[in-house]
């Protein structure tokens, strides 16, 4: 199908960014870019997709990609993060901690103008970049120093793919966050590969996110135990994650 300028097309949007890239010296950045490109190309091809067919906007430490219309979304969401994690584990095992490649990956979908004079005009693209750059996602990698990939997906991707558990996705490994990043505010779902992120605030933290959701009712059984854990860290009471408390974990009942 011929694509026309000024006409938006519905596409899958992926943003991938290296953690702590700017703290590296010039030569280290060069080697990090080489490893990043190799891991991306090999991982995409390993799941049967053609990386050369992606419409990309490169950054030194990142890639923003608009995928072809025929891309199977469950395959990308369910398999690509797993392959990236596996390849990075092999690479990072031989590197000093400060040289390791650790990635934040965001996935969304929506209408995109493919012929913008300076990028891809699209609210979906902006949202994807905001999710990838969210403090909650960055800090998730900081909380788990052995993790290589933090995946964040939009609410629509979560509903259509994650909840359906396509490609052996574990829906219970994704945890809802509310992201406030610049002028963007929205819901997303976070998964740190290789880690069980238990976000279980038993207190009503709705005051922290009152701009986006209604207060959460506490039962007599849960109100007595106001506690949550995020990996190795355990706190008591409502909790905000992110600089200036700009991303929050939604209260979740214990089973």
């Amino acid at each position: 199908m011929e694509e026309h300028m000024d006409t938006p097309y519905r596409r899958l949007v992926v943003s991938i960014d290296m953690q702590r890239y700017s703290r590296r010296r010039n030569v280290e950045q060069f080697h990090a870019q080489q490893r990043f490109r190799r891991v991306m190309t090999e991982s995409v091809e390993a799941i049967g997709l053609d990386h050369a067919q992606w419409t990309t906007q490169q950054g030194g430490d990142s890639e923003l990609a608009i995928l072809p219309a025929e891309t199977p979304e469950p395959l990308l969401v369910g398999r690509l993060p797993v392959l990236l994690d596996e390849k990075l584990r092999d690479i990072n095992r031989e590197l000093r901690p400060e040289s390791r490649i650790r990635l934040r990956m965001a996935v969304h979908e929506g209408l995109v103008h493919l012929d913008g004079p300076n990028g891809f005009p699209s609210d979906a693209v902006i949202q994807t970049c905001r999710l990838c750059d969210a403090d909650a996602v960055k800090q998730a990698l900081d909380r788990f120093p052995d993790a290589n990939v933090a995946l964040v997906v939009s609410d629509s991707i979560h509903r259509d793919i994650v909840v359906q558990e396509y490609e052996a996705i574990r829906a219970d490994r994704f945890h809802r966050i509310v992201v406030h990043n610049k002028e963007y505010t929205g819901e997303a779902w976070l998964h740190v590969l290789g880690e069980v992120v238990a976000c279980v605030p038993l207190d009503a933290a709705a005051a922290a996110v009152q701009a986006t959701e209604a207060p959460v009712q506490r039962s007599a059984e849960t109100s007595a135990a106001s506690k949550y854990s995020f990996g190795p860290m355990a706190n008591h009471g409502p909790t905000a994650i992110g600089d200036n408390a700009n991303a929050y974990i939604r209260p979740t009942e214990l089973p």
Side-chain angles (χ1 to χ4, degrees), residues 63-90:
E63 177 178 301
L64 173 65
I66 313 300
L67 275 57
E70 65 274 11
T71 301
E73 297 180 11
L75 182 65
L76 181 108
V77 177
R79 291 296 300 154
L80 182 58
V82 174
L83 264 295
L84 289 172
D85 180 60
E86 291 177 357
K87 291 184 178 296
L88 287 176
R89 287 188 185 279
D90 290 338

Side-chain angles (χ1 to χ4, degrees), residues 97-130:
E98 63 272 18
S99 299
R100 293 170 57 199
I101 308 300
R102 309 175 72 219
L103 302 178
R104 304 187 310 276
M105 176 179 176
V107 183
H108 184 36
E109 53 81 28
L111 293 177
V112 181
H113 290 270
L114 302 175
D115 297 310
N118 193 37
F120 309 112
S122 166
D123 183 68
V125 168
I126 292 174
Q127 181 174 339
T128 307
C129 293
R130 294 291 182 262

Side-chain angles (χ1 to χ4, degrees), residues 24-39:
R24 306 167 196 253
R25 292 177 298 179
N26 291 352
V27 173
E28 293 171 336
Q29 291 181 9
F30 177 81
H31 291 307
Q33 288 185 21
Q34 286 185 314
R35 295 180 183 113
F36 175 57
R37 297 306 321 146
R38 184 171 72 251
V39 166

Side-chain angles (χ1 to χ4, degrees), residues 2 10 13 19 29 33 36 60 65 145 160-161 172 174 205 243 252:
E2 183 180 358
R10 187 164 297 278
V13 183
Q19 186 91 333
Q29 291 181 9
Q33 288 185 21
F36 175 57
D160 294 342
I161 299 173
D172 61 330
F174 286 76
D243 295 340
T252 307

Side-chain angles (χ1 to χ4, degrees), residues 6 17 26 35-36 40 43 45 50 60 63 99 137 147 150 157 166 183-184 190 192 219 235 248 250:
D6 297 331
D17 207 330
N26 291 352
R35 295 180 183 113
F36 175 57
M40 276 298 303
S43 298
E45 292 178 353
D50 186 356
E63 177 178 301
S99 299
V137 185
I157 293 293
Y166 289 117
E183 72 283 357
Y184 171 78
L190 174 64
V192 181
S219 68
N235 284 347
Y248 305 96
R250 182 181 185 179

Side-chain angles (χ1 to χ4, degrees), residues 7 134 137 173 193 236:
T7 301
V137 185
R173 297 295 175 89
L193 274 76
H236 293 264

